[in-house]
Amino acid sequence: MTIVKARSKKEETRERILRAAARAIRKHGFEGVGVAEVMKEAGLTHGGFYAHFESRDALLAAAADQAGGETLEILTRAIAAAKPGQELTALVDAYLSDRHVAAPEQGCVIAAAGSEVPRQEAEVRRAANRRIKDLIGLIERQFPEWGKSAAHDKAMAITATLVGALVLARAVDDAQLSNRIRKAAREQIRAAVG
């Protein structure tokens, strides 16, 4: 028998704040996230913020971690639902999907706000760095037969291709070009992994 510990009201409230902040970062970037707006989005008053976070930077770090975790969950589910031997294709297709392009506030925080990470405080950069490594690791695990070093190098290149393709696909105002960018990225990844 498994015993599941009920989450406290404070934990549930913190989770609501984190989900709101993660959406805000992906939608408005790190610099566009205000504590008052996040608290309002979470259905709370600004005054309760410091019961959950010691600073705005602590919130941003936790929210970057939350957003990265949400993306990894989506990609992990895509892998789990794939036919044997099609796991990487499922991950790539989920990452480069129309839905991911159209809804940055629900997607990869690095593609949405990665260019701002170098200007953030160290704790925010550490959280983003950890989630980038997690994404690389998830992709790397799709190549167990390649050996650690080769799989890691390939996973870094695929991660860079995915993130770059998504950024470009969102940046253009031409739906056909957005589709062609993503198609080209898929083809490059398929060719690279043979």
Side-chain angles (χ1 to χ4, degrees):
M1 181 167 105
T2 303
I3 299 174
V4 178
K5 181 184 171 205
R7 293 186 331 160
S8 72
K9 177 97 167 127
K10 184 173 183 173
E11 290 170 327
E12 289 175 4
T13 300
R14 179 182 167 88
E15 184 69 23
R16 269 196 354 242
I17 296 166
L18 281 176
R19 283 193 309 269
R23 277 191 308 275
I25 289 170
R26 292 178 290 205
K27 188 173 184 179
H28 304 293
F30 288 96
E31 296 305 317
V33 175
V35 169
E37 293 82 13
V38 168
M39 295 300 282
K40 182 178 178 183
E41 175 71 22
L44 303 163
T45 63
H46 183 211
F49 174 78
Y50 291 101
H52 301 281
F53 299 95
E54 60 186 52
S55 67
R56 178 179 175 273
D57 288 329
L59 170 67
L60 293 177
D65 188 63
Q66 171 81 20
E70 290 170 4
T71 298
L72 289 169
E73 286 177 26
I74 291 166
L75 297 176
T76 299
R77 284 194 304 268
I79 290 168
K83 294 177 182 174
Q86 295 298 310
E87 295 87 355
L88 180 64
T89 299
L91 180 150
V92 169
D93 288 346
Y95 194 92
L96 296 177
S97 69
D98 292 341
R99 180 179 178 187
H100 199 187
V101 170
E105 69 280 0
Q106 298 171 2
C108 178
V109 69
I110 301 305
S115 65
E116 293 182 47
V117 172
R119 295 184 298 278
Q120 300 306 305
E121 293 299 321
E123 64 186 311
V124 178
R125 291 192 317 271
R126 279 191 300 275
N129 183 58
R130 183 172 50 255
R131 288 309 189 171
I132 292 167
K133 287 180 177 180
D134 289 345
L135 179 56
I136 292 168
L138 179 64
I139 295 169
E140 181 180 334
R141 289 190 294 280
Q142 307 314 303
F143 307 110
E145 71 282 357
W146 285 39
K148 181 82 171 141
S149 180
H152 187 72
D153 289 348
K154 189 68 68 179
M156 288 189 296
I158 291 169
T159 301
T161 301
L162 290 173
V163 173
L166 187 61
V167 169
L168 293 175
R170 286 178 176 162
V172 299
D173 65 354
D174 177 342
Q176 287 183 333
L177 180 55
S178 176
N179 288 334
R180 288 194 344 251
I181 289 167
R182 290 180 286 145
K183 181 181 179 197
R186 284 184 186 98
E187 290 172 0
Q188 283 293 89
I189 292 168
R190 284 187 191 113
V193 297

